[in-house]
Structures are given as C-alpha cells and as structure tokens.
Amino acid sequence: MTKNLNIKRYPATENKSLQAWNASDEYILSYVNDHQLSDKRTVIFNDRFGFLGCHLSSSNAIQIINYKSEQKALQFNLKNNELVLNEGSILFPLSELPSGIQLGIIKVPKSIELFEFYLSKLSKSINKDGVVLCGFMTKYFNKSMVSAAETYFEEVEQSLAWKKSRILILKKPKDIEGKNPIQSFSFSHSLTGDIEINQYPGVFSSKRIDQATEFFLDHLGVTDNVDRILDLASGNGILGITAKTINPKSEITLVDDSFLAVESSRLNLNSENTHFKWKDTLEDFESEYFDLVISNPPFHFEFETNIEVSIFLFKEVYRCLKIGGRFRSVASKHLNFKTHLDSLFSSTKIVAETTKFVVYESVK
C-alpha cells in the first residue's frame, strides 16, 4: 500500500482545521492492510478528495464519482503524487458495477438514502465472500446506517472506536431487489401549479422543497426580456422549472457539482433551450453571457459548513453576467452573504426576507 502521500483538498481552503481526510479514512486503510485486502478487486464510494483512491491506486480500485469537484480532487492528487489509474477506473453513481467485486469501501455519506443506494449496488456486484467497509466518524453515527446495512447484508459488525471513528463491516450480500432509486413527491405553487418532482438519492432537500427555495420561488426576478438564465447549484431543478414557466422563451442552463443532481434536473425539465451541465465552476462559460443568474448557493458539504465555495461561485457569476445583468440568490440570514456580494457587484439590495431567509439582487 502506498504511504506518505501528499493529499490536498480541492477546492483549496484557507480553513486550517479542514483537511482532505479524517480518522475513518485512516481506519479503513489500516483494516485493509491488516487483513491483506489491498490486492482485492475494489470499488470505492464517496472518496471526496481522493485520499482512499490514491492510497489504493496500485489495486486498480474503481472510483464511483458523484461530484465534479471530487473527480478533480482525485485527478489532482494522483498527478501530485505521480500515481495513475487504469482507464475505466472511474464510474458514476448510475453506472452498472462490474461483477466480481471483492472489496467495497464506502465513506458513509450524510444522506442515508444515498448510503442505501450505494449498498444496494454493491450487494449485487460483490462476491459472496467479499467484504464491505463503511467508515464514519462516531459523532455522526445514526442507527439508520445499521438498518440500511442489514437490509442488504446478512452480517453487519461494528468495529471498536479508533480516534473517534468506526467501521461497519458487512459480509454475505442478500439476494434482494433494491428500491427504485428515483424518489418522487408532489409539489404545488402558484407559479408552477401541481407538479411531481423526481430526484435521485442524496440530492439536496430529500423528498421536499426546502423552505429557503420555496420562499425564493416568489422572488426569482424572471421577466419577459431575460434571454439567458443560469440556475446555479440546480439540485432537482425546481428553480429552473419555475423560471421556464414564467418565461418559456428563455434559454436556461442548469449547473450542479453533483452528478445525481444534474440527472435529477433532467428528470424534471424536458423543454426546448434547456441545457444541463455537470460542473463545479463556470469556467466553460464565456464572460458576460447570462442576463440572470438564480441560485440557492451551497454552504453545507456533507457534515461541513463552509461558505468558501459560495464566495468563489459569486466571483464566477460576476464574470459570466452581462453588464447590467442580475444575480438573484437566497440564503440563511446568519451567513451574511451581502458583505461578500457588496465587494464584487456594483450594487446589492435585499428584495425580500423572512426571520430566517433573505433574497439578494446583485447587479453587475
């Protein structure tokens, strides 16, 4: 097993308390080493910064990539450590896994539905004598983790704690059909009417429209003279759906870092002049391109709260907006995004607010 690697976060952070791995990553590697599993045919889920993938690169491990930033982090850290992955070693959450997997590794995501989805895929592809290691920090333990594991595996053992982390060790996959991964729920709004929303597991605001977004729908700022709209961090696409309802002639682009979010948006929006982009930045868009950008910017990343990515996206929005273009965003009041928006845009004003949320309009 490769040791002493230099693994860095992507995107980079100025918060020195945040690193590219935690004790559960180290615990998993220790277990793999102690049980001589490093040469097994391996698949890895939710390896956010490529720590596990880099350390297990010699085993030709398959990486299941959900985030574009996750893919970039893995590629950056492989190159930085002069490591390579074989062609075909990167797959995506909706890809079919090859059979004959001997070792499955999951960094347990915050979303139990997503965890269960990963388990269901693994239970179909792993050998009968294979093992699945699910690592997590003890403070994030949830009994639903065990229930999900027991749904798909006969043997579920919880390790002893090590540096405040644990591993669920799963063996003997059950021969059962997994659930339909597409979650559907009804939503009603004065602008959209009664609609059905479909989304894959792990997409923001499971099985409902979150309160901030629902409040934002009445204040999107979409008008008849807006030609190009960007729905940034699109999630299941509800902002794009509403914008398209208000102005059907507009060209709308939906962008999200999450592969499953982009695919969820595709499920819900099937109209002309609609584009879907799996991106973590706006680097592929030319300057002064959009008339209007709408967003409920991300500030939670798994169990972390970090507004650095939001601030970076504000800078990207500024570059891509036309002169006189508008950026409408919604956020929790305590984040105080106005301070950061004021430093970039010629003007930023509050167009609507509640006790919890605020909608900003920034003009280039």
Side-chain angles (χ1 to χ4, degrees):
M1 186 182 302
T2 308
K3 297 180 180 180
N4 300 320
L5 299 182
N6 182 16
I7 308 296
K8 297 181 179 180
R9 287 177 69 109
Y10 170 88
T13 177
E14 295 181 5
N15 186 338
K16 295 182 179 179
S17 69
L18 299 177
Q19 59 182 13
W21 69 93
N22 60 31
S24 68
D25 293 283
E26 296 174 323
Y27 201 175
I28 287 170
L29 288 181
S30 177
Y31 187 101
V32 169
N33 190 43
D34 292 346
H35 292 79
Q36 300 180 337
L37 299 174
S38 60
D39 62 343
K40 302 298 183 182
R41 194 177 193 198
T42 303
V43 61
I44 303 172
F45 293 81
N46 201 35
D47 183 22
R48 198 66 178 81
F49 302 108
F51 181 86
L52 295 168
C54 285
H55 280 85
L56 296 171
S57 61
S58 61
S59 68
N60 298 320
I62 296 169
Q63 292 272 144
I64 307 301
I65 300 292
N66 184 30
Y67 298 98
K68 177 59 71 171
S69 56
E70 178 185 2
Q71 184 180 39
K72 288 183 177 180
L74 174 63
Q75 292 168 337
F76 170 81
N77 283 310
L78 286 168
K79 183 177 180 180
N80 194 41
N81 290 280
E82 299 182 343
L83 301 169
V84 295
L85 285 181
N86 284 349
E87 186 176 352
S89 293
I90 290 180
L91 297 177
F92 305 103
L94 301 180
S95 303
E96 288 294 325
L97 292 182
S99 59
I101 299 298
Q102 298 168 296
L103 173 64
I105 296 175
I106 304 176
K107 282 292 297 297
V108 179
K110 186 175 182 179
S111 166
I112 295 299
E113 290 91 351
L114 184 58
F115 180 46
E116 184 171 351
F117 177 54
Y118 290 160
L119 290 171
S120 96
K121 293 182 74 72
L122 264 176
S123 68
K124 293 180 178 63
S125 64
I126 198 161
N127 286 351
K128 292 297 182 182
D129 59 352
V131 61
V132 177
L133 307 177
C134 308
F136 59 94
M137 298 304 294
T138 304
K139 63 182 176 180
Y140 301 129
F141 175 74
N142 185 323
K143 290 182 180 179
S144 297
M145 294 178 186
V146 176
S147 297
E150 289 176 340
T151 300
Y152 295 98
F153 290 84
E154 296 285 354
E155 293 186 9
V156 177
E157 175 189 351
Q158 189 170 171
S159 73
L160 298 174
W162 180 79
K163 290 187 177 180
K164 300 180 180 180
S165 71
R166 290 182 184 270
I167 301 173
L168 291 181
I169 304 157
L170 318 182
K171 297 178 181 178
K172 297 184 179 179
K174 295 180 180 180
D175 185 16
I176 64 170
E177 278 297 316
K179 298 177 183 177
N180 181 355
I182 298 175
Q183 305 169 343
S184 300
F185 61 93
S186 298
F187 178 69
S188 182
H189 190 273
S190 59
L191 292 169
T192 62
D194 297 331
I195 58 175
E196 183 173 81
I197 300 294
N198 299 295
Q199 66 183 44
Y200 288 100
V203 176
F204 176 62
S205 192
S206 175
K207 300 177 184 177
R208 63 184 177 85
I209 302 300
D210 66 285
Q211 291 181 336
T213 296
E214 188 165 3
F215 171 60
F216 189 29
L217 293 178
D218 289 319
H219 308 283
L220 294 181
V222 178
T223 56
D224 291 340
N225 63 347
V226 171
D227 295 322
R228 288 177 173 166
I229 302 173
L230 170 64
D231 178 358
L232 180 60
S234 62
N236 58 32
I238 186 60
L239 296 184
I241 293 169
T242 308
K244 199 68 172 171
T245 302
I246 298 170
N247 183 353
K249 296 180 181 179
S250 62
E251 177 183 345
I252 187 161
T253 302
L254 298 93
V255 173
D256 205 291
D257 186 24
S258 164
F259 179 90
L260 290 173
V262 173
E263 294 307 307
S264 297
S265 293
R266 288 187 201 274
L267 293 173
N268 296 312
L269 207 55
N270 184 25
S271 55
E272 293 183 355
N273 295 323
T274 302
H275 314 289
F276 304 92
K277 303 289 184 181
W278 181 44
K279 301 286 182 184
D280 68 316
T281 73
L282 302 180
E283 60 191 356
D284 290 343
F285 295 101
E286 62 189 72
S287 298
E288 300 181 13
Y289 186 80
F290 294 105
D291 299 293
L292 174 68
V293 178
I294 53 178
S295 184
N296 182 354
F299 65 94
H300 285 116
F301 300 89
E302 290 291 294
F303 298 101
E304 294 177 5
T305 298
N306 183 352
I307 67 168
E308 288 177 305
V309 171
S310 298
I311 295 170
F312 170 78
L313 289 175
F314 296 163
K315 296 175 183 177
E316 290 278 276
V317 167
Y318 180 85
R319 182 185 64 80
C320 292
L321 268 180
K322 293 179 179 178
I323 302 298
R326 295 174 294 125
F327 175 35
R328 287 266 179 130
S329 57
V330 66
S332 297
K333 277 190 170 181
H334 73 274
L335 295 174
N336 192 25
F337 277 160
K338 190 173 187 299
T339 299
H340 304 287
L341 294 166
D342 280 337
S343 69
L344 289 170
F345 293 87
S346 59
S347 69
T348 294
K349 64 180 180 181
I350 294 173
V351 297
E353 61 184 320
T354 68
T355 56
K356 293 182 179 180
F357 309 115
V358 57
V359 175
Y360 302 108
E361 179 177 272
S362 303
V363 179
K364 183 173 179 179

